[in-house]
Amino acid sequence: MSEMKFILLISFALFFIGVYGFLTRRNMITMLMAVELMLNAVNINFIVFNKFLYAEKMDGLFFTIFIITIAAAEAAVAIAIIINLYRKFNSINENEIDTLKW
Amino acid sequence: MILVFGVLTVASRKIFRAAIFLLFTLINVAALYFFLEYEFIAAVQIVVYVGGIVVLILFSLFLTHRVNSDLPHPSAMKMIVTFLAAFFAFGFVYTLLYWHEFAEAVPVGSAVPVRMIGKAMLNYGEGGFVLPFEVVSILLLAAMVGCIAIAFKTKLKEHKAS
Amino acid sequence: MSLLNYISMMRFEALALGVVIMLLLVKVFSEKMNASVVLGFVNLSLVALLGISFVGHPHGTAFGGMFRIDSTLMLEKQIITLALLLISLQANSWLKKHSSYLEFYVLILSVIIGMYFMISSGNFLMFYLGLEMATIPLASLAAFDFDRIKSAEGAGKMILSSAFSSAILLFGLSILYGTTGSLDFNRVAENFSLTSHLELLALAFLLAGFAFKISVVPFHLWTADTYEGSPIAVTSFLSVVSKGAALFIFMTALYQVFGAAHEKWMNALVLLSALTMTIGNLFAMRQSNIKRFLAFSSISQAGYLLIGVITGSSLGMASVFYFMIIYIFSNIGAFTVVSVVSENTGKENIDDYKGLYKTNPMLSLALMVFLFSLAGIPPTAGFFGKLFLMTSGASAGLIALLIIASLNMVISLYYYLRIVKAMFVDKNESPLEDFAKDNYSKFVLIFCVIVILTLGFCNYIFGYLQSLSFGL
Amino acid sequence: MNLSLLILIPFLTVLAILLVKDGKMARVIALAGSFAQLAAALFMLFSYMKLHDGSRLAFEESHVWFAQWNINYHIGVDAISIAMVLLTSVVLVAGVLVSWNIEKSTTSDPSSGGQPKEFFILLLLLATGAFGFFISVDLFTQFFFFELAVIPKYLLIAIWGSGKKEYAAMKLVLMLMGGSAMVLIGILGFYHFSVAAGTPTFDLLALSKLSLTHNQQMFLFPLLFAGFGVLSAMFPFHTWAPDGHSSAPTAASMFLAGISMKLGGYGCLRVAVYLLPDAAREYSPYIIILACIGILYGAFVTLKQRDIKMMNAYSSVSHCGFVILGIAMFTKTAMVGAVLQMVSHGVMTALFFAVIGMIYERSHTRMGDEMGGLMKVMPFLGSVFIIAGLTSLGLPGFSGFVAEMTVFVGSFQNADLFHRVATIIATASIVVTAVYILRAVGIALWGPIKKIEFEKLPDAAWNEKLAAGILVVAIVILGTMPFWLSDMIYKTTETLFGMAVK
Amino acid sequence: MVNYSYIALVLIIPLAVFIITGLFGKRFQSFSGILGTAGMLAAACLSYYAAYQYFILGSRGADCAWPTIIALKQTWLQFSPNLRIEMGIMVDSISVMMLVVVTTVSLMVHLYSISYMHGEERFSTYYSFLSLFSFSMLGLVISTNIFQMYMFWELVGVSSFLLVGFYFTKPSAVAAAKKAFIVTRFADLGFLAGILILSFYSESLDFQTIIHRMMDYNGSIFLAANSASFMGASALTWALCLIFIGGAGKSAMFPLHIWLPDAMEGPTPVSALIHAATMVVAGVFLVARLFPVYSQIPAALDVVMYVGAFTSLFAAIIACTQTDIKRVLAYSTISQIGYMMFGLGVSGYWGDKALGFSGSMFHLFTHAMFKALLFLGAGAVIHFIHSNEMGDMGGLRKKMPLTNIVFLVACLAISGIPPFSGFFSKEEILTAAFNHNKLIYAMGLVTAAITAFYMFRLYFSIFWNKPASEAGGHADAHSHGEAPVTMKIPLVFLCLATLVSGFIPFNEFVTAFDKLEVEFHLPLAIAAVSAGAIGIIIATILYLKPSTMPDKIAATLGSIYQSAHRKFYVDELYLFITQKVVFNLISAPAAWFDRNVVDGMMNLIADVTENFSDEVKTFQSGKISGYVMWFFAGAILLSILIVYVL
């Protein structure tokens, strides 16, 4: 196994750990954290591909930068919304936030 | 290390611990970048993620959570099913990756200097990223406005109400 | 390339950005500005935006292929701008009362700028940025009904699931980057090979990401909750503009980037389309909240739209445009009625509409026209839209899918008729009283009704759309 | 003769009614419009008779509608469509007349009635759809009008109906739309095959020249035939009819049975059989079986009905079985019979529903056994009822006889046992028909007067007399002078099916 | 060729009267009676003139047969190039004879009804229906085309229905009208099927063409029709038998006779016209019309013969036990028509063998006269007594002398006593039967005896028996019993006809084919007359004076009497079939099936969709992780599909 594929193994694993976390967690903030894990896995992918395959250009690298930036923005908005939710429901547990269903 | 902390992040029942584990994971990822000689990305990772997002998350945790309370335990059944699904998906995806033959070039030894990044960032020709750069700035602005609008206006209203 | 040239190419983006900056300046410097002046200004500028879009035929690429423009893309932008204009007019009375109307416009204009960029993108990076820009501020907009807890809940569901969705999409993109070595549409298309399983995986993940935005089953579950929770203006924006923009770029991506794999995605989309129509309909059947109901109905409409996408022919694409336009008018029209009722009475349940015809005949008639258009009943334009989609499907030989689609038309008629029945047939002890409608909403309603009743008979519009369409 | 007039007149009438405020004005306009339409239809008939060599489409008109799909606004008439148009305009006039007092409808359900403006708009919209359907030669255009004629029924029944009206209306519309969905698939299938053949088209004439393979025909035919069959209440898709008819307001029942069911029969003949003769021939045994079941079974079910409106609804199922049977028998004579039966049943059932509606408005009951002796108090309505009944049971001199006999004779031209037995089974229904008609006459009109309050019921008013009169005249004209119509139709049938049919 | 197209007027006049009185009769109630009678008088004169022209001025053709003249022919409806319904006028011996019969009886009834129906609320309606009937019946007899005949056949049935149900407020009248129509309708089904078969093979609906083609032994058409077999009989046999069913229905042959006695619920003149003289012989006329074809197929003729003979005996027996005078007459009508039927059945086509045909037609003619007379006489009695029951009558000979005489004449005629007309016609039929089949002859003879018996039972019960004062009923004992003059004229006229018509040289005029030389067989005549005489004598013994004998005999006969009295339970059988089988075993389950199974299926589809919708809704759990779970599963499944499957 090449080095690249090994690192990719790690990043893929990290991605699905994130998925697992998202799916099992009840707390919205931990869900957000799980998403961050997934995004990090994607970042690693981009960096690794850029590094090992297409080093002559910086597409992957820039993509990573933008993902990080956007992740920040997304997290900010998400947290704003979550805090908003917390004010209204006094909880951020998804089990308790289900006035909308069916 | 990344994986260990990642697992801990999603498995920890104490929410703060989870956050700290996330922090460690992110730092480890940064280390990985560093190791891959992308120092700039590593730096960004540390600054934005560790310095920004995690802090934000911790901050929001303080706001929303009673400090030492445990997270509710997800049902075992659900955990197993989810785990199996995620694991299966992982196996599937990784198998595909494993059998894919990349035209692996020899890694270019030198690191990408920050200057090049800066140049590319402002280049508007082929291989330049000025447009995304601008766009992302608008995006950040908009996100900011959105956050402010939601967080502050509701607060104001509540104040008025009380 | 001169600056003028850039501006001409990016006229939508530039002007919208200009308006955003103006609004921010207003916000900073003169907080006490009269609301109706600002709203009028924004609406006017949207009209201007639409107007200048018809000057000249810009085409070309800029920024190293990251930005592309041609007549088709112009058309797509015109369509979503038109929709935004209608929504803006419809939302007028709601916004006047709203404390943060300035922020609303800043956000929604940023969203539409994101959409412009997304539509015009020639590169997955730009596409991703545009997509996020069209999502993140929108999530905060979904929470804009500060008083209603449902609004916040919908927004929370939206932002979290869209974060997850974009993570999946990004994962696909990263793999695509790994296998093809580029993010540029043309380069990806060149390097894309059907033999690589990994690339197909990337395609699948991308499809899932797109499907989330277009709210295709089973990636649709956030839709209903968010639609119900959001302010009506945002709901209509989500259901029309958001969906439309995503669909446009989806078509571009499928045709221009993944054309080589068309058999794969066609078959996949046939499945998704069938599922979407059916499940969307089944959900819609039992709804009691009209917004939620319209959400599900819009899910099933997405299924019909996919038929046109699947065909991969220029006629199919033209039908998608055509249906999209009709759908904009029908859906925004319907939401306008809902918004008028809800603004005046605060009621959103289908049961509240009982006996509406007795007190508000014009409003009910308008809603009936919109619903029939959504259901595809002649002589409304929706009939033509749906039939054209299905005809394009027929010329591509998607008979099985068409069978499902036609059966779904029957089911959908059932629930559209439920509302018609509530308004026209059911007796109500205390129907909603006759209330005043604001002029903007009236204008939107009349305009939508006229368009819906005449569009099907104006054959040149379809000809125009077809001239701008392309296939695989 | 400009055929578009036939679509324009009712449509303009709709617009005119939209513009007026007053319900009284609305009905006058509606009546004027429908008379204009009748005049136009008659004018068309005469000019057709003058010019016709009986074979080709007359007064053709074709405008490109959507060039991209080869959709044309293509209209034209031959004898079959002329028959249908005439039928529709006659029923339209009668329907408007019958609904003259819809404003103060006196049915037992106080919630129904009112809103005359809306009522006439819907009625004329429905008629517009029917006219358009009958004269269009392009499948797309035809389908457009076809669907146009479905939805107004929902509102007509659900708003002005009685009994379980909402359920019935919904069921009716959904079943009809189910049928139209099948038709749609069939039409799209046609389009698909024409695309495959290199000439995408919706045009009936062009499609008839398309040589489809056996499998293609076998695939399309059941969809189209069953789809249209739903509309013409083919067993087992007939259950919308009893509920729908019995709940609908009088004029809507008249339209439903008089016109809508004909849309189905016309479609079966004009689209399914015309375009797919080979498949039609292969499927015809199954269709014949279904038709026979429909005819006989419908008749027997009718026997058991207490509600006379329900009774007529079921009898429509039985009668429309003859249409299907005539088409499936695959001889020219039988097809002519099918068309005649459509016309005849259209007028007859319209008359029947009209008179049932009038009686209902007076007696406030539709249960046959709660009436009795009504002949004594309302001799005019009673006589009309009996005339309708006699037409229904196929009395010579009335239209039903001509149509049924043509179907029988035509069916019997098939020399094999199966067709013969089927014909005989179908003929057997005339006895059952006689039984239920006489039963209805016996319990509702004859016998002693059951309720005191019946004795003071008024007989028909002028509008009712006029409506019934027009329909009776139509029935008698058809019944005593069928030759002009049947000859015309025979020639058209020869042109349309000359190759395929005995 | 003589022009007979004026015969069209014979039809048009009643039709015009029907339309005028039907539409405007309300305005001038009483006038419609006069109008109707005048119209009928004109029609009758035209018919007489036609008969005069045909029989007296015209002559037999070269082949010794009376010519068949198509006076008028107009295509009315073209089914296919070969098959068309033509409206026309066919003039031949039987149609001319029928014209005379129908117009005569109809005229009498019109005239009679003016006073009989006087004061009825729906007087004009009555006359319009009568005219309608006359029109239809006349149309029937002059038909050139089998379908034309079928059409008028149906019209006749409807007019009968309307007239029987004239007193529609009486439930029994309603039931009788329904029964009459439905039973004949059922028979018409056979007629129709027969027409379909016959027309298919002969490729024509025209009587002359059909007869011509079917008479051609070696023609391909006859061979095809005769060789195509179904269930052991040839297509032609089937066709003829089916057509005979049609005739049997109208002519009330067993087992389709049940409607006729009930049809007496109608006004009595109507019974005289329709249910005695004209419509009920339509079946006989039908068989006679197609007789050349029947004569080719002996099997079919045998059916006609046996059914006719059995019916005549069967009905005669029942007639002995009935107490309602109109019912007695009704059964006697059935019995006499049975006579005519078996007359045809025993006949052949050529030469001497054709005696049965000629006799049957003769009997048709004479029967029409004396049976109409009987009914009108009975009508006069009923008019006076206001009751139909024999028990309410008696000793009326004093009060109604004229009626007494005409009734007696008619009774003697029907009993076959010379020199009254019945004797001649009956004798011919019996002679033909004797030559053909002895069993039938025996049955005929017995029937003749029974006929004489029940007729005189009737006669004595009305006019003799107990004295008038004891008779019940609602007659005003002091009133003058005789009817007004408009009722008397028809009685007298018909009585004269009954007296003289026996001497018409009928065989000269009405024959199957060529000239018929009839030998008079004295022994047979004696046998027939003595049979009648025996019947009369028994009746005289039993009924001339009031006595208990009849009851004793009835008691002795016990169940046989009882079952004859109950009409051998045929009605009950029908009732069982219609009520129990058709309504409860077919209709009710069918209705149930339709509501619950067929409709249930449709509702089931809706329910399943709705339930499915409810099920599906639970996906929308309101929980993000649930949503994302679906998203994730969808994405993975989609990728598996895309990568491996599609």
Side-chain angles (χ1 to χ4, degrees), chain D residues 266-290:
Chain D
Y266 181 82
C268 285
L269 186 66
R270 203 44 187 281
V271 180
V273 178
Y274 175 52
L275 294 180
L276 304 161
D278 299 341
R281 185 179 294 284
E282 284 200 37
Y283 278 110
S284 72
Y286 307 103
I287 301 172
I288 289 172
I289 291 171
L290 283 184

Side-chain angles (χ1 to χ4, degrees), chain C residues 306-318:
Chain C
L306 283 184
I307 299 176
V309 177
I310 293 165
T311 59
S313 63
S314 72
L315 275 172
M317 193 170 177

Side-chain angles (χ1 to χ4, degrees), chain C residues 153 156-157 160-161 164-165 168 197 200-201 203-205 207-209 212 218-222 224-225 263-265 267-268 271-272 279 282-283 285-287 292 296 411 414, chain E residues 605-646:
Chain C
E153 183 186 342
K157 284 177 178 173
L160 281 176
S161 22
F164 185 86
S165 142
I168 294 266
H197 285 172
L200 292 176
L201 178 78
L203 171 62
F205 277 24
L207 282 181
F212 173 84
F219 312 108
H220 69 289
L221 288 152
W222 64 282
D225 293 358
E263 272 181 36
K264 293 278 182 184
W265 56 254
N267 291 335
L271 269 177
L272 291 181
I279 304 281
L282 289 177
F283 272 122
M285 273 173 74
R286 303 289 247 182
Q287 297 305 324
R292 199 172 176 78
F296 282 116
I411 302 179
Y414 165 72
Chain E
I605 293 174
D607 288 348
V608 165
T609 320
E610 291 213 334
N611 288 339
F612 196 57
S613 161
D614 279 346
E615 288 297 311
V616 160
K617 253 169 51 175
T618 53
F619 291 142
Q620 198 84 30
S621 58
K623 313 235 184 326
I624 306 169
S625 60
Y627 297 177
V628 171
M629 184 72 202
W630 279 107
F631 184 102
F632 181 63
I636 295 301
L637 280 178
L638 189 66
S639 40
I640 292 174
L641 279 177
I642 285 197
V643 173
Y644 291 116
V645 181
L646 299 173

Side-chain angles (χ1 to χ4, degrees), chain D residues 63-74:
Chain D
H63 306 288
V64 176
W65 196 355
F66 290 100
Q68 295 78 16
W69 307 107
N70 269 324
I71 292 171
N72 295 316
Y73 169 73
H74 184 183

